[in-house]
Amino acid sequence: MADDAAQAGMDPEVFTQFIEQLERYVRERLIPAEDEVIENDAIPEELVDEMREMGLFGLTTPEEYGGSGMNVPQYIETIRVLAYALPAYRSIASINLGMVCSALKKSGTEEQKAEWLPRLAAGEIACFGLTEPGSGSDSAAMATTAKQNGNGYILNGSKRYISNAPQAKMALIMARTNDEALPRNAHVSAFLVPMDAPGVSIGKADKKMGQAGSQISDIYLDDVKIPGDALLGGEEGRGFATAMQSLDNGRLSVAAASCGYARRILDTAIKYSTERKAFGEPISQFQLIQAMLADSQAELYAAECMLRDASQKANRGKAIIEAASAKMFASEMCNRVADRCVQVHGGAGYLAEYEAERFYRDSRIYTIYEGTTQILQLVIAKNMLREFAAGVPA
């Protein structure tokens, strides 16, 4: 029954009203505040509080735990609309909504859900600790360990490039619990770690190419003692599977962010092309400018269609190939649209005073996190070959 409710999601009429409210909020509050966010490299706390009040941290949390209970297509559409504004606004809420909430719903014990889901929905910021200095896509090289200590565990190690780590109250940490476990990746377990636990420390926020206002930093774990009930699901060896299941939602979120931001970028390019004149007429009248705008629209439309289809399939069950495909295509598309936007602006596109330059830098990360384009190519191909070998129809 719970799965049926999750697939049904929020009442369609209520959801439509919510999206209309969010669209106004994005244009009237979030976009006007972008310069302040960029200058301070942080979202003003009053805006974060407003986002909490709107329920933007609890979109995917079941209603019984204080959330909105959106299904996957509704959640992804909300992210697409939110992502029309500066990427930092999505980033501050996305870890709660995607990976951590998904992991708790699918793998958490009833006690873990009761403790953490209401807090996530209320806006306690979470982070997701998988990547390390010596391991990213290769979990076999993971060095963070969780050694049994009586009824609990002691964690040691570090995590790198962790989004929202400076603001987070809780981290979902992946750590080794068994060096000998087979099959591959069965050595990884997942732990719910309060960020104020003794032995947890945060590195200095990294200086990035773009995405101002979205902060990442390293997490250091030095003899961090946690109780046994911090083990997600109460079962060792399920951490990697949990991470991969959560990444499907994360990849759809990045695909949605790519589509939402690409729409903003394309709108900006269109507007500039109608205002900028050359040889006595708007450059929008030049066919080669029109070609760049048309190519951008066609690719964006294709990505939006992929996103909707993948979201529907994910809502009905596994969508590994579809989620990876949508993220790979949409993120690359967003980069191409941003590149064309700079080109439409000409020399002005290279200047920091125009948004085109910022769009170009902001978009670059979309092809990297939640699986690089190259890793996603492997994910897609391996799953295609696995389905072929199993006789699954294409």
Side-chain angles (χ1 to χ4, degrees):
M1 294 296 291
D3 288 343
D4 291 342
Q7 289 181 354
M10 181 185 286
D11 177 81
E13 185 175 339
V14 174
F15 177 70
T16 298
Q17 294 172 352
F18 171 80
I19 287 296
E20 291 173 352
Q21 177 190 10
L22 180 61
E23 287 175 338
R24 290 194 299 271
Y25 182 69
V26 165
R27 284 163 174 77
E28 295 173 8
R29 286 288 289 155
L30 297 187
I31 290 177
E34 287 180 348
D35 288 344
E36 181 182 354
V37 175
I38 293 168
E39 182 179 353
N40 298 322
D41 196 22
I43 303 172
E45 192 58 35
E46 64 179 290
L47 280 183
V48 178
D49 286 340
E50 289 176 5
M51 293 172 68
R52 290 184 175 114
E53 291 173 10
M54 289 185 67
L56 293 179
F57 288 86
L59 303 175
T60 56
T61 304
E63 291 184 42
E64 60 266 34
Y65 294 107
S68 301
M70 287 186 182
N71 59 26
V72 178
Q74 291 172 339
Y75 154 55
I76 293 303
E77 174 63 9
T78 301
I79 292 298
R80 188 190 67 82
V81 171
L82 180 64
Y84 191 84
L86 197 70
Y89 298 122
R90 181 200 74 99
S91 294
I92 196 70
S94 65
I95 308 300
N96 283 40
L97 298 173
M99 290 184 281
V100 177
C101 183
S102 174
L104 276 164
K105 288 193 296 183
K106 291 179 180 178
S107 303
T109 65
E110 290 305 316
E111 293 76 15
Q112 288 168 342
K113 293 176 185 178
E115 177 181 359
W116 288 109
L117 286 176
R119 295 168 65 174
L120 293 175
E124 283 195 21
I125 297 169
C127 62
F128 185 81
L130 175 63
T131 302
E132 296 184 2
S135 69
S137 304
D138 180 13
S139 71
M142 184 177 293
T144 298
T145 60
K147 302 295 185 183
Q148 286 193 336
N149 177 49
N151 294 326
Y153 294 85
I154 297 178
L155 272 60
N156 281 284
S158 62
K159 299 294 178 179
R160 175 153 289 181
Y161 309 138
I162 307 303
S163 297
N164 296 338
Q167 299 91 5
K169 300 293 185 183
M170 182 267 273
L172 184 61
I173 297 290
M174 303 294 154
R176 283 177 169 271
T177 47
N178 188 339
D179 289 334
E180 306 299 328
L182 294 174
R184 188 174 183 269
N185 298 318
H187 61 287
V188 180
S189 300
F191 296 90
L192 298 158
V193 181
M195 294 295 281
D196 60 359
V200 177
S201 59
I202 308 298
K204 183 179 178 182
D206 290 300
K207 192 172 181 62
K208 309 186 305 298
M209 176 191 292
Q211 304 242 339
S214 171
Q215 297 185 358
I216 65 172
S217 65
D218 291 357
I219 297 176
Y220 303 105
L221 307 161
D222 184 15
D223 287 337
V224 178
K225 295 181 180 179
I226 54 175
D229 60 11
L231 174 64
L232 184 68
E235 182 182 354
E236 291 187 2
R238 293 288 303 156
F240 185 79
T242 296
M244 293 303 101
Q245 290 171 350
S246 299
L247 279 174
D248 282 348
N249 272 347
R251 286 166 179 165
L252 287 172
S253 177
V254 175
S258 299
C259 289
Y261 210 39
R263 179 61 65 189
R264 167 82 175 278
I265 296 168
L266 181 54
D267 285 350
T268 301
I270 293 170
K271 183 175 184 293
Y272 183 83
S273 72
T274 62
E275 296 171 346
R276 176 74 168 92
K277 291 186 176 182
F279 306 103
E281 61 180 324
I283 63 172
S284 60
Q285 299 305 304
F286 300 156
Q287 289 183 339
L288 293 181
I289 296 292
Q290 292 177 357
M292 288 191 283
L293 298 177
D295 285 349
S296 296
Q297 170 59 28
E299 289 189 42
L300 177 52
Y301 177 57
E304 289 171 340
C305 289
M306 289 179 70
L307 182 65
R308 294 190 193 100
D309 181 70
S311 298
Q312 293 287 351
K313 286 184 168 65
N315 200 49
R316 295 193 294 267
K318 289 184 177 179
I320 297 173
I321 291 175
E322 292 84 358
S325 298
K327 191 272 183 184
M328 181 178 73
F329 183 84
S331 62
E332 293 285 353
M333 173 278 298
C334 188
N335 272 258
R336 289 191 292 270
V337 173
D339 183 72
R340 294 187 192 113
C341 183
V342 171
Q343 200 71 10
V344 167
H345 280 68
Y350 202 69
L351 302 181
E353 65 185 277
Y354 288 86
E355 289 183 324
E357 181 267 348
R358 184 244 295 177
F359 293 153
Y360 188 82
R361 289 183 291 103
D362 283 347
S363 299
R364 190 62 185 86
I365 190 63
Y366 288 143
T367 64
I368 297 174
Y369 60 18
E370 313 298 2
T372 65
T373 293
Q374 289 69 38
I375 286 294
L376 293 181
Q377 288 172 324
L378 297 179
V379 169
I380 294 165
K382 286 180 179 178
N383 279 277
M384 288 170 60
L385 293 171
R386 186 178 296 121
E387 289 184 1
F388 176 80
V392 178

